[in-house]
Structures are given as structure tokens and as C-alpha cells.
Amino acid sequence: MKELSFETLLGRQREACLGEGPPSAEVRIDRIDRCIDLLVAHQGDFTDAISSDFGCRPVAVSLGIDVSASIARLRQSRDRLRHWMRTERRPTTPRIVAWIGGSARIEPQPLGVVGLISPWNCPLNLIFAPLASILAAGNRCMVKPSETTPATSALLARLVARSFDESELTVCLGGPAEGEAFSRLGFDHLLFTGSAAVGRRVMQAAAEHLVPVTLELGGKCPVILGRSADIAMAASRVMAGKTINAGQICIAPDYVLLPADRRDEFVTRATAAVARMYPTLAGNPDYTSIIDDRNMIRLRALLADATGRGGRALVINPAGEELDEAARKMAPTLILDPAESMLIMQEEIFGPLLPLVTYRTIDEAISFVNGQPRPLALYYFGSDRDEERRVLARTTSGGVTVNDVLMHAGMSRLPFGGVGASGMGAYGAEEGFRRFSHFKPVFREPTWTFFERALARHRPPYGAPHPGNGKASA
């Protein structure tokens, strides 16, 4: 069978939107349930495909990040969408209008057809988590997954085609050229998750049709360790978050700010934490590979630039193994004495490299964060509530976890999104429903003769006497 063009698929979804109108709660729930059933029934197939694409990715990571986390978002939207769909009554102005039969309300309405461009690092989560909001709001959706995970994308396309009519949900495969064409379609909304550089191009392409966009971009997510922080606990949790998926997560810690006199303790604790989690690296199925050769080259270049500019690389390789180039395993590495001019302090790392930046006062740490583009996530460790409040109040980030990393993204009742350079808009929870809905204001005017006569006072001819008034209107 000949594959349909992107334009044809968009046309069919838009025609279905206009022909069938806003779907009922039952239809929306059914669509979300089909997504859940697809993930549950084929979780083994998905974990195999993801591992194949990465070269090595733990089944537990794929089940946790991509399957279970997606299902949690889907279930939360399914269980709450009836509440979100309710019409909201608003007071009339003046209030007397309501006394004689007038009314004002807000009706949530689907936007229509939403385009979704997803990345490779969490190839299911970053499709189904936003889909939970898109489908709950009653939209149709066209998905363009990453060509960097070809096995996962192809499997997803086959399974979605079995479970959904193409007018409801469809997966569009292809490489960069197809991705660019996809971003130029006249969607009613476009969601992109990926790098800031590609995000700029997507936004420019969407502007051709004035398509509104939601961008989830990432950035350099800081960890601030206060003086009251439990260093052993902080090091363990930071390194767990940094090494899961080998650091290839948009909200992974990108650098650590800590008091100068506590750096050595952090290094010792971090080294021990990695050794407990990964006593070996080379053949360890628990340690994820870097996705491809291009990203291995990029990470090595960041490391070489850092050491070439005076940084010290502390490689954490518990068994002292020789890591096979073909396996694309990169050892967790701490970068000591990083300078702001280093590439590793300017670019999102997206790998298991972690610079440690020292500070003298918490205000110095806050100023350092505020001197960078606004991050997708920020992490604070400490028991000083006043200091915690100071950090949260004086920094701006997409989301925050206190005394851990990554965890706010797993809270299905919280929205997920960036701010400034790390993105715009959010999905998940009620905020996601609102993002992919149009809240239409509706005013119903009374039709009583009395009200019609009252309205006549405010219509032309201005300044002339009106019947029953006996004097000119002001």
C-alpha cells in the first residue's frame, strides 16, 4: 500500500475534526485507554526495540521512564478529563444582565490537529506523556518520532496503525528532511521536544502558517548544594540521576554548584555511589550506551576542550576496564576546576560528564545560575528552609526538585515544561489540557422586549430622542 503524504494525513484528520465535531468524554477516554493497552501489551517489544537502538539500555530504565511514566500520565488525564471539560460559568457585567436571562460562560474546545515531534532519548515517554494532554483535550494528532531510534519508531508506527484510525492518531516516519516538512504543515498546534538549535528552526517553519508552538528544549540544569546539605545523600542522588540513561535526559544534572570546602567530600561520595551502582561498566547491562557515534564524538570533544583549558577530569571507572569503542560506553566523569569559557559550561552535555563549580556564598551560586539561560530544571539540596526559599524565589526554571533530581517530572499531577531558553508552554495535568484547548467565551443575550428597548438607548442615531425616552441619549 502506498504511504499517504503528510498533507493528505493532515487533511483527513482535519476533515474528521470538522465532520465529527468535539469528541465526547467517552471517545476521549477510549483513545487514551487504547494508548495504555498498547503500552501494556507490547512493553517487552518496546524494551527490546529501545535496547536495539541504543546498543545497550537496561530493561528497567525503559520500563520505568518510557512505559510506566507514560501510563501514569495517560491515566491521570483519563481520570480527570471529565472535570476539565466542564463549562465554566462567569459573572455577567453588569450583573443585572443575568437577572433578566443573560449568561456568560467559557467552553473548552479542542484545537483540532496537533503535530508532535519527539526526540530519541526517551522515545516513548516524550510521545505518550504529551499525548495524554492532547487526547484528553479532544484533539487528533500526527506524531513524527526520531529517526535516531529507527526500531522503536517503526514498531510504534505499526502498533498505532493497528489500534487507531489514521484520522485519530498516526505516526509519520522519516529523517531530517521529513522532519522539516512535517514542521511546515498547517497544524492547529505544534509540540517539539529537542535541542534549542532545532527548536528555533521548528518555530520559524511553524510561523509560515502562524501555527502556535510548544517547545521543550532542555538546557543546562544546575544542582545547588547548600551548606546544610547531606553530602553523602546528595552525591548518591545526583549521580543516580546523572548516570541513568548515561545522562541522556533533558533534565539530567548538568553541573553542580557546591561550597568550595565540601568539593572533595562530594567527589569521594560520588565516586563511591557510582561504584555501588555500576561495579563494572563495559559489559554491564545496567549501564546505558551513548546513542550513536556522532554523540560519542561530541562528548569526547567537550571533554577534550575542558581538559585542554585547564580542567581536571576524574574518570569514575570502578573496575578499571578498557571500554570498547564499538559499545559506546562512556565512564561517568567529574570535571574539576571548570571555567565558564569551556564548551562543557556553555552547551547542554547530554551525557555522563559532570562539572563541579565551587562557590563561597549562596548568593554567588544564585548569581551564577542567573547568569546562564533559564534551565528546564533546577535542583536544590539542603535542610535550610530560608535558603531553599531564597534559591527558589530568586531563580527561574521550568521545574524544581528539592533534595533529589528528576523527580518532579514523574509527578503526574504536575505540569512539565520549560521557560525562556528551555522552552515555552507545558503539558501534563490540567495545564496540559488547557494548553491544547481553546477556551471559547460565549455570551447569551436576553431576548425579552424590555431588554431590546434598553439596548436601543445605545444604538444610532446618537443624540436623537428614542421612543419612550423623551430625551436625547448621552
Side-chain angles (χ1 to χ4, degrees):
M1 181 186 298
K2 183 180 178 181
E3 289 188 4
L4 299 175
S5 69
F6 293 169
E7 291 82 1
T8 300
L9 289 168
L10 175 59
R12 290 191 177 181
Q13 291 205 353
R14 176 152 290 123
E15 183 180 357
C17 284
L18 297 174
E20 298 175 20
S24 65
E26 290 75 19
V27 169
R28 302 180 196 201
I29 289 169
D30 173 64
R31 289 173 180 167
I32 292 175
D33 277 338
R34 277 183 272 161
C35 288
I36 294 171
D37 292 343
L38 183 154
L39 289 168
V40 171
H42 299 281
Q43 54 189 296
D45 298 325
F46 278 124
T47 57
D48 288 346
I50 294 171
S51 185
S52 172
D53 285 328
F54 273 80
C56 177
R57 199 200 201 209
V59 170
V61 171
S62 296
L63 288 177
I65 292 178
D66 282 293
V67 177
S68 296
S70 297
I71 290 172
R73 288 282 184 185
L74 289 161
R75 285 176 174 165
Q76 201 270 336
S77 289
R78 178 196 63 190
D79 295 344
R80 296 290 294 167
L81 67 84
R82 289 184 189 274
H83 175 75
W84 299 336
M85 288 174 64
R86 293 186 305 184
T87 295
E88 179 187 348
R89 299 290 177 182
R90 294 285 181 91
T92 59
T93 49
R95 289 185 178 272
I96 193 172
V97 173
W99 300 347
I100 55 177
S103 64
R105 66 185 186 273
I106 301 290
E107 292 186 354
Q109 181 180 41
L111 293 176
V113 181
V114 176
L116 194 166
I117 303 176
S118 64
W120 52 263
N121 60 311
C122 299
L124 297 183
N125 180 294
L126 295 174
I127 291 174
F128 286 100
L131 261 181
S133 296
I134 293 167
L135 297 179
N139 299 288
R140 318 277 171 146
C141 188
M142 293 172 60
V143 178
K144 170 60 181 71
S146 175
E147 68 279 3
T148 304
T149 48
T152 307
S153 297
L155 175 62
L156 179 68
R158 290 195 301 273
L159 296 177
V160 166
R162 292 180 196 172
S163 299
F164 290 87
D165 185 83
E166 63 195 12
S167 67
E168 297 175 296
L169 174 64
T170 189
V171 176
C172 305
L173 301 177
E178 288 76 13
E180 182 178 356
F182 188 92
S183 67
R184 295 186 183 279
L185 295 173
F187 294 112
D188 297 297
H189 197 100
L190 179 61
L191 185 152
F192 168 81
T193 303
S195 70
V198 178
R200 290 187 183 94
R201 297 200 297 271
V202 167
M203 194 171 184
Q204 289 173 345
E208 292 183 12
H209 296 288
L210 296 179
V211 174
V213 297
T214 295
L215 301 177
E216 305 297 349
L217 303 178
K220 298 190 71 62
C221 301
V223 177
I224 298 178
L225 302 189
R227 288 198 172 274
S228 62
D230 180 327
I231 295 296
M233 180 190 74
S236 178
R237 293 180 180 182
V238 168
M239 296 313 294
K242 184 61 176 178
T243 55
I244 190 172
N245 214 37
Q248 298 167 109
I249 297 178
C250 57
I251 56 172
D254 219 73
Y255 62 96
V256 176
L257 286 157
L258 74 171
D261 58 358
R262 307 203 72 182
R263 188 190 69 177
D264 291 348
E265 182 185 358
F266 182 88
V267 169
T268 299
R269 298 289 191 175
T271 302
V274 172
R276 285 194 302 271
M277 292 184 289
Y278 309 103
T280 63
L281 299 175
N284 190 341
D286 288 340
Y287 193 64
T288 304
S289 297
I290 303 302
I291 184 68
D292 57 20
D293 291 338
R294 180 178 64 85
N295 277 279
M296 278 293 290
I297 292 169
R298 178 185 61 81
L299 288 166
R300 288 199 189 98
L302 290 180
L303 186 56
D305 177 80
T307 55
R309 292 171 182 256
R312 291 185 290 144
L314 177 60
V315 179
I316 306 177
N317 185 351
E321 301 163 287
E322 187 72 28
L323 300 182
D324 183 4
E325 291 284 324
R328 299 192 305 277
K329 295 285 185 83
M330 174 172 270
T333 303
L334 303 177
I335 309 299
L336 309 184
D337 305 319
E340 288 190 64
S341 61
M342 296 175 181
L343 293 177
I344 203 166
M345 292 303 299
Q346 298 175 12
E347 300 177 7
E348 184 176 8
I349 296 172
F350 231 67
L353 310 177
L354 185 63
L356 305 184
V357 181
T358 60
Y359 69 81
R360 290 168 295 182
T361 67
I362 196 66
D363 286 341
E364 184 180 315
I366 291 170
S367 294
F368 189 94
V369 172
N370 288 338
Q372 322 301 319
R374 289 175 170 175
L376 183 56
L378 179 143
Y379 306 112
Y380 171 79
F381 285 80
S383 58
D384 185 333
R385 290 300 182 92
D386 290 337
E387 183 178 81
E388 174 189 326
R389 176 43 46 196
R390 186 173 182 83
V391 169
L392 267 59
R394 294 186 55 199
T395 60
T396 302
S397 61
V400 173
T401 294
V402 175
N403 288 324
D404 207 340
V405 299
L406 312 184
M407 297 303 294
H408 65 283
M411 302 295 107
S412 60
R413 293 270 181 129
L414 292 179
F416 180 81
V419 61
S422 61
M424 60 181 70
Y427 57 80
E430 184 172 2
E431 289 81 1
F433 177 88
R434 299 183 71 86
R435 168 63 49 174
F436 297 107
S437 297
H438 168 56
F439 283 79
K440 182 172 15 181
V442 179
F443 172 65
R444 176 180 290 277
E445 190 154 282
T447 57
W448 294 5
T449 302
F450 167 80
F451 194 68
E452 181 62 23
R453 293 179 64 184
L455 286 175
R457 299 177 57 191
H458 303 283
R459 295 173 179 162
Y462 300 116
H466 287 282
N469 192 358
K471 57 182 179 180
S473 61

